[in-house]
Amino acid sequence: MQKCGYNNKGGMVKRVLIGLVAIALIASPLLAQEEVKVIYDEGQAQATIKSLTLQGVDFIYLKEMVKLFRLDLEWDAITKKVTLTSGPDQVIFFVGSSQIMVNDRIKTLTQTSRFSNGAVLLPIEFLSEISDEVLKAKIAWDPRTRILKISGGRLNIRQVRYSSSLDSTRICIDLLKPLSYRVRKELPDQVTIDVYGGECNPGELSREVNDGRVKSIQAFQLPDATQIVVRLLEDLPYKDFTLKNPNRIILDINPPPKASYKIATIVIDPGHGGRDPGAIGRGGTREKDVVLPIAQELKRLLAERLGVRAVLTRSGDYFVPLEERTGRANNERADLFLSIHANAALGGSPQGGFETYFHDLALTEDAKAVARLENSAIRLEKKRRKPMSQAEFILWDMAHNAFMHESNELAILVQEEMDKKLRLANRGVKQAHFYVLSGANMPSILVEVAFISNPREENMLRSPDFQKKVAEGLYNAIAAYKRNYERSMGQSISDRWEKE
Amino acid sequence: MGKGIGDLKRKKVLILLGVSVFLMVAILLVSQRERVSYRIPFLAPEENVRLVRLYFASPDADHLKVEARRILREEKMTDEAKALIGELIKGPRGNLDPTIPPGSELRELYIVSEEKCAYLDFNQALQTNHPGGSAGELLTIYSLVNTLVDNLEGIDRVQILIEGETIATLAGHIDTTRPLLRNSTIVEY
Ligand SMILES: [Zn+2]
């Protein structure tokens, strides 16, 4: 099953055929690409859609019709079955068949739907056949003026949708036609939208949200307007705007700054320092001394080659408490946190290699219970310190899972890139509950670059050459992560912000 | 009379022998399954001995592996737990690596049965003599946690203390502020 996909098999043949027909009928009115002007009842609002005249019959494109009336489209490429849904109403037909099924009743059209250049065309009479039951509007078509009048759309506010992301909630009011509106904040925790001339079914639009920012959405039908009241958990900023095709009013609660979708700041944490030497090799090499130059080199590479702001949690040999390290990253609003260490273990066996960890809370107490009770490090609102509500907890859980996923991605890349640079054992990606990672408000990893307790690797760790190679491996991993991340975020953001 | 006692003795010896052989076979089968290959010392009487699973480090410090060992059975769970920690401190007998730093001593051990949690109070050596490293820390912590949870039904989680206090970490990496659950991902059989 393919949504909105058009099977293009034989598209070439069809194109050639249509081309031939077009040449044969040149300057004849039998086939023509034209436009249809759509006018809504009062004649104020209008839109334009493409149409096609084939042997004197007017067709419109299925894709445009779906947009115009905000229908849900399901397309089965194998059987050529099209299912259009609007709330509880449904119309099903097969491309090429003159029969259509409207809410379980069969109707027969005088013209059939057909393919043209891989797109599905519908005869305009199709609209009239489904206008009452599915479109909930009166349709009038004037072939001479090429004007399609849509009137008496009983309900011009079709639905109110919402979607919650990590830091914002988007409320989308779907309109059948453009309507003027006014947004105001009557109370700190209440946003009211008056949609003038709006007609809705209040029961269908009202709903509980409880996503940690929005409590509920309620709709009221007034004589000349629809009023939509959005109740918030607390005083949050909002942003409103309209989008076309299809028409809708968008209300973003706590709109996110666009900058947060780029990897701009990275906090690098050279492990230990000062009175904490970290692990000590048999030759006396101290972990704190070898991880610092790696971190400094990585910072230089990130700034020079990637233009990323890198911040070190320590730039010399001094003690920094673990809490302050992620605290620093949170304050800097860092997009990534990377802690660099050298490994060790008891026993003189052939231990060695590099490994990358990301944080796993589940290994301690029941992570979720703890988070709920203690109001974990990932705080939704800085002011609030009381235990999380169920809704807040859901958001926290979402954030935590997103960070875990991103951290895992980065950890995989680090192991891959280090593998290319170092001739050491690849010990893989692991999960553990690190004290230093537990407070991070961003994807975070801890890399153990080699075993200082292994004399051969201890010697390597001391060499500036090896330190540089490690930094390059880490740099390559971050660069790859940044590329992947920004590409995927860019896509989903433009999806959300432009197409929505 | 003398003959009767002799018969009884012989019977006892036979039963004991039978039980011993059965147990030995069972132990061999179990240890075979764990792929631990070393000779099991013969100890009697059998009913006072139990086979336990001790977790030590794999030679590449990448995993915990099981070493089966027979220890004296204790009546109280607390004593049983102490005996298990004692075995971990003694270290592995086979080809595995130790997980507890030299000089470490268990000062006290108590079990809160409602929480199914064992509190292990070590002396300072567990921390100061620890080699550090995430791998090393994980191996130390989970050899303690997994050994207790696996061998004692009344224990689900373990809290590590140093000189009676909770500690943030042993050597700067793994969070030890809370009771820890068994970790199965670090185990390799
Ligand atoms: Zn370290």
mmCIF file of all heavy atoms in Angstrom, chain A residues 121-145:
data_model
loop_
_atom_site.group_PDB
_atom_site.id
_atom_site.type_symbol
_atom_site.label_atom_id
_atom_site.label_comp_id
_atom_site.label_asym_id
_atom_site.label_seq_id
_atom_site.Cartn_x
_atom_site.Cartn_y
_atom_site.Cartn_z
ATOM 1 N N LEU A 121 -7.149 11.710 -12.653
ATOM 2 C CA LEU A 121 -8.082 12.790 -12.994
ATOM 3 C C LEU A 121 -9.498 12.379 -12.613
ATOM 4 O O LEU A 121 -9.885 11.230 -12.793
ATOM 5 C CB LEU A 121 -8.041 13.056 -14.500
ATOM 6 C CG LEU A 121 -6.765 13.664 -15.073
ATOM 7 C CD1 LEU A 121 -6.894 13.791 -16.586
ATOM 8 C CD2 LEU A 121 -6.501 15.018 -14.456
ATOM 9 N N LEU A 122 -10.240 13.343 -12.095
ATOM 10 C CA LEU A 122 -11.628 13.072 -11.732
ATOM 11 C C LEU A 122 -12.540 13.990 -12.532
ATOM 12 O O LEU A 122 -12.269 15.177 -12.648
ATOM 13 C CB LEU A 122 -11.844 13.365 -10.243
ATOM 14 C CG LEU A 122 -11.026 12.564 -9.239
ATOM 15 C CD1 LEU A 122 -11.245 13.123 -7.847
ATOM 16 C CD2 LEU A 122 -11.415 11.090 -9.299
ATOM 17 N N PRO A 123 -13.639 13.445 -13.071
ATOM 18 C CA PRO A 123 -14.589 14.336 -13.745
ATOM 19 C C PRO A 123 -15.231 15.247 -12.696
ATOM 20 O O PRO A 123 -15.430 14.821 -11.555
ATOM 21 C CB PRO A 123 -15.607 13.368 -14.346
ATOM 22 C CG PRO A 123 -15.491 12.126 -13.524
ATOM 23 C CD PRO A 123 -14.075 12.057 -13.049
ATOM 24 N N ILE A 124 -15.561 16.462 -13.073
ATOM 25 C CA ILE A 124 -16.094 17.398 -12.075
ATOM 26 C C ILE A 124 -17.396 16.885 -11.461
ATOM 27 O O ILE A 124 -17.689 17.147 -10.305
ATOM 28 C CB ILE A 124 -16.233 18.812 -12.685
ATOM 29 C CG1 ILE A 124 -14.815 19.364 -12.825
ATOM 30 C CG2 ILE A 124 -17.118 19.718 -11.836
ATOM 31 C CD1 ILE A 124 -14.653 20.828 -12.860
ATOM 32 N N GLU A 125 -18.141 16.094 -12.226
ATOM 33 C CA GLU A 125 -19.398 15.557 -11.675
ATOM 34 C C GLU A 125 -19.147 14.703 -10.432
ATOM 35 O O GLU A 125 -20.017 14.524 -9.600
ATOM 36 C CB GLU A 125 -20.154 14.744 -12.745
ATOM 37 C CG GLU A 125 -19.630 13.339 -12.892
ATOM 38 C CD GLU A 125 -20.376 12.496 -13.917
ATOM 39 O OE1 GLU A 125 -21.500 12.080 -13.624
ATOM 40 O OE2 GLU A 125 -19.818 12.256 -15.003
ATOM 41 N N PHE A 126 -17.907 14.193 -10.310
ATOM 42 C CA PHE A 126 -17.526 13.415 -9.121
ATOM 43 C C PHE A 126 -17.785 14.231 -7.859
ATOM 44 O O PHE A 126 -18.290 13.738 -6.854
ATOM 45 C CB PHE A 126 -16.044 13.034 -9.237
ATOM 46 C CG PHE A 126 -15.523 12.179 -8.110
ATOM 47 C CD1 PHE A 126 -15.509 10.795 -8.208
ATOM 48 C CD2 PHE A 126 -15.024 12.762 -6.950
ATOM 49 C CE1 PHE A 126 -15.020 10.015 -7.175
ATOM 50 C CE2 PHE A 126 -14.535 11.984 -5.911
ATOM 51 C CZ PHE A 126 -14.535 10.603 -6.027
ATOM 52 N N LEU A 127 -17.452 15.541 -7.926
ATOM 53 C CA LEU A 127 -17.619 16.418 -6.768
ATOM 54 C C LEU A 127 -19.082 16.511 -6.360
ATOM 55 O O LEU A 127 -19.422 16.434 -5.176
ATOM 56 C CB LEU A 127 -17.081 17.820 -7.069
ATOM 57 C CG LEU A 127 -15.566 17.934 -7.259
ATOM 58 C CD1 LEU A 127 -15.187 19.379 -7.542
ATOM 59 C CD2 LEU A 127 -14.835 17.429 -6.026
ATOM 60 N N SER A 128 -19.951 16.692 -7.337
ATOM 61 C CA SER A 128 -21.375 16.826 -7.035
ATOM 62 C C SER A 128 -21.906 15.555 -6.383
ATOM 63 O O SER A 128 -22.733 15.597 -5.478
ATOM 64 C CB SER A 128 -22.165 17.101 -8.310
ATOM 65 O OG SER A 128 -21.416 17.898 -9.179
ATOM 66 N N GLU A 129 -21.392 14.399 -6.859
ATOM 67 C CA GLU A 129 -21.885 13.128 -6.332
ATOM 68 C C GLU A 129 -21.528 12.923 -4.857
ATOM 69 O O GLU A 129 -22.217 12.214 -4.147
ATOM 70 C CB GLU A 129 -21.337 11.954 -7.165
ATOM 71 C CG GLU A 129 -21.954 11.827 -8.546
ATOM 72 C CD GLU A 129 -23.464 11.580 -8.510
ATOM 73 O OE1 GLU A 129 -23.947 10.981 -7.527
ATOM 74 O OE2 GLU A 129 -24.141 12.005 -9.466
ATOM 75 N N ILE A 130 -20.434 13.519 -4.421
ATOM 76 C CA ILE A 130 -20.027 13.297 -3.032
ATOM 77 C C ILE A 130 -20.184 14.553 -2.179
ATOM 78 O O ILE A 130 -19.813 14.574 -1.014
ATOM 79 C CB ILE A 130 -18.569 12.779 -2.935
ATOM 80 C CG1 ILE A 130 -17.575 13.831 -3.433
ATOM 81 C CG2 ILE A 130 -18.390 11.481 -3.715
ATOM 82 C CD1 ILE A 130 -16.135 13.521 -3.044
ATOM 83 N N SER A 131 -20.761 15.615 -2.775
ATOM 84 C CA SER A 131 -20.778 16.901 -2.069
ATOM 85 C C SER A 131 -21.575 16.854 -0.766
ATOM 86 O O SER A 131 -21.128 17.364 0.252
ATOM 87 C CB SER A 131 -21.327 17.996 -2.986
ATOM 88 O OG SER A 131 -22.638 17.652 -3.376
ATOM 89 N N ASP A 132 -22.755 16.234 -0.799
ATOM 90 C CA ASP A 132 -23.594 16.222 0.398
ATOM 91 C C ASP A 132 -23.003 15.351 1.492
ATOM 92 O O ASP A 132 -22.878 15.775 2.633
ATOM 93 C CB ASP A 132 -24.995 15.706 0.049
ATOM 94 C CG ASP A 132 -25.789 16.763 -0.692
ATOM 95 O OD1 ASP A 132 -25.316 17.929 -0.676
ATOM 96 O OD2 ASP A 132 -26.829 16.422 -1.279
ATOM 97 N N GLU A 133 -22.633 14.123 1.095
ATOM 98 C CA GLU A 133 -22.288 13.144 2.119
ATOM 99 C C GLU A 133 -20.856 13.274 2.623
ATOM 100 O O GLU A 133 -20.593 13.078 3.800
ATOM 101 C CB GLU A 133 -22.505 11.729 1.586
ATOM 102 C CG GLU A 133 -23.959 11.341 1.608
ATOM 103 C CD GLU A 133 -24.268 10.288 0.577
ATOM 104 O OE1 GLU A 133 -24.370 10.646 -0.621
ATOM 105 O OE2 GLU A 133 -24.384 9.118 0.951
ATOM 106 N N VAL A 134 -19.942 13.608 1.734
ATOM 107 C CA VAL A 134 -18.534 13.612 2.146
ATOM 108 C C VAL A 134 -17.990 15.032 2.285
ATOM 109 O O VAL A 134 -17.338 15.371 3.268
ATOM 110 C CB VAL A 134 -17.671 12.796 1.161
ATOM 111 C CG1 VAL A 134 -16.223 12.764 1.609
ATOM 112 C CG2 VAL A 134 -18.209 11.372 1.036
ATOM 113 N N LEU A 135 -18.281 15.879 1.299
ATOM 114 C CA LEU A 135 -17.690 17.226 1.327
ATOM 115 C C LEU A 135 -18.469 18.179 2.222
ATOM 116 O O LEU A 135 -17.940 19.193 2.646
ATOM 117 C CB LEU A 135 -17.607 17.796 -0.093
ATOM 118 C CG LEU A 135 -16.864 16.938 -1.116
ATOM 119 C CD1 LEU A 135 -16.868 17.617 -2.485
ATOM 120 C CD2 LEU A 135 -15.427 16.685 -0.669
ATOM 121 N N LYS A 136 -19.728 17.844 2.509
ATOM 122 C CA LYS A 136 -20.590 18.687 3.352
ATOM 123 C C LYS A 136 -20.693 20.102 2.783
ATOM 124 O O LYS A 136 -20.587 21.079 3.518
ATOM 125 C CB LYS A 136 -20.059 18.760 4.790
ATOM 126 C CG LYS A 136 -19.647 17.443 5.398
ATOM 127 C CD LYS A 136 -20.815 16.712 5.993
ATOM 128 C CE LYS A 136 -20.331 15.544 6.841
ATOM 129 N NZ LYS A 136 -21.224 14.428 6.801
ATOM 130 N N ALA A 137 -20.820 20.192 1.486
ATOM 131 C CA ALA A 137 -20.914 21.505 0.853
ATOM 132 C C ALA A 137 -21.707 21.381 -0.446
ATOM 133 O O ALA A 137 -21.872 20.291 -0.984
ATOM 134 C CB ALA A 137 -19.516 22.028 0.562
ATOM 135 N N LYS A 138 -22.217 22.535 -0.921
ATOM 136 C CA LYS A 138 -22.898 22.563 -2.227
ATOM 137 C C LYS A 138 -21.867 22.935 -3.283
ATOM 138 O O LYS A 138 -21.058 23.840 -3.073
ATOM 139 C CB LYS A 138 -24.004 23.617 -2.198
ATOM 140 C CG LYS A 138 -25.209 23.199 -1.366
ATOM 141 C CD LYS A 138 -26.255 22.507 -2.237
ATOM 142 C CE LYS A 138 -27.401 21.959 -1.395
ATOM 143 N NZ LYS A 138 -26.970 20.866 -0.472
ATOM 144 N N ILE A 139 -21.928 22.210 -4.383
ATOM 145 C CA ILE A 139 -20.963 22.453 -5.452
ATOM 146 C C ILE A 139 -21.716 22.948 -6.677
ATOM 147 O O ILE A 139 -22.732 22.370 -7.066
ATOM 148 C CB ILE A 139 -20.234 21.144 -5.830
ATOM 149 C CG1 ILE A 139 -19.600 20.492 -4.603
ATOM 150 C CG2 ILE A 139 -19.218 21.387 -6.934
ATOM 151 C CD1 ILE A 139 -18.391 21.184 -4.064
ATOM 152 N N ALA A 140 -21.221 24.040 -7.278
ATOM 153 C CA ALA A 140 -21.812 24.506 -8.537
ATOM 154 C C ALA A 140 -20.693 24.754 -9.532
ATOM 155 O O ALA A 140 -19.730 25.457 -9.229
ATOM 156 C CB ALA A 140 -22.611 25.777 -8.290
ATOM 157 N N TRP A 141 -20.825 24.141 -10.704
ATOM 158 C CA TRP A 141 -19.759 24.238 -11.712
ATOM 159 C C TRP A 141 -20.293 24.938 -12.956
ATOM 160 O O TRP A 141 -21.319 24.557 -13.504
ATOM 161 C CB TRP A 141 -19.248 22.835 -12.046
ATOM 162 C CG TRP A 141 -18.404 22.742 -13.282
ATOM 163 C CD1 TRP A 141 -18.663 22.013 -14.394
ATOM 164 C CD2 TRP A 141 -17.162 23.402 -13.511
ATOM 165 N NE1 TRP A 141 -17.670 22.159 -15.308
ATOM 166 C CE2 TRP A 141 -16.729 23.021 -14.788
ATOM 167 C CE3 TRP A 141 -16.387 24.294 -12.758
ATOM 168 C CZ2 TRP A 141 -15.543 23.491 -15.353
ATOM 169 C CZ3 TRP A 141 -15.203 24.754 -13.314
ATOM 170 C CH2 TRP A 141 -14.794 24.349 -14.588
ATOM 171 N N ASP A 142 -19.617 25.988 -13.341
ATOM 172 C CA ASP A 142 -19.989 26.704 -14.561
ATOM 173 C C ASP A 142 -18.885 26.489 -15.583
ATOM 174 O O ASP A 142 -17.809 27.076 -15.481
ATOM 175 C CB ASP A 142 -20.161 28.201 -14.247
ATOM 176 C CG ASP A 142 -20.631 28.964 -15.477
ATOM 177 O OD1 ASP A 142 -20.516 28.407 -16.604
ATOM 178 O OD2 ASP A 142 -21.094 30.093 -15.312
ATOM 179 N N PRO A 143 -19.108 25.614 -16.599
ATOM 180 C CA PRO A 143 -18.031 25.294 -17.544
ATOM 181 C C PRO A 143 -17.635 26.492 -18.416
ATOM 182 O O PRO A 143 -16.514 26.543 -18.903
ATOM 183 C CB PRO A 143 -18.621 24.170 -18.389
ATOM 184 C CG PRO A 143 -20.075 24.125 -18.098
ATOM 185 C CD PRO A 143 -20.349 24.885 -16.849
ATOM 186 N N ARG A 144 -18.559 27.443 -18.554
ATOM 187 C CA ARG A 144 -18.266 28.573 -19.435
ATOM 188 C C ARG A 144 -17.243 29.501 -18.773
ATOM 189 O O ARG A 144 -16.221 29.827 -19.344
ATOM 190 C CB ARG A 144 -19.559 29.319 -19.753
ATOM 191 C CG ARG A 144 -19.495 30.188 -21.005
ATOM 192 C CD ARG A 144 -20.831 30.877 -21.224
ATOM 193 N NE ARG A 144 -21.389 31.437 -19.973
ATOM 194 C CZ ARG A 144 -21.022 32.620 -19.493
ATOM 195 N NH1 ARG A 144 -20.159 33.355 -20.118
ATOM 196 N NH2 ARG A 144 -21.551 33.052 -18.358
ATOM 197 N N THR A 145 -17.534 29.882 -17.509
ATOM 198 C CA THR A 145 -16.626 30.789 -16.788
ATOM 199 C C THR A 145 -15.506 30.026 -16.084
ATOM 200 O O THR A 145 -14.583 30.629 -15.560
ATOM 201 C CB THR A 145 -17.407 31.598 -15.741
ATOM 202 O OG1 THR A 145 -18.119 30.667 -14.921
ATOM 203 C CG2 THR A 145 -18.392 32.550 -16.383
#
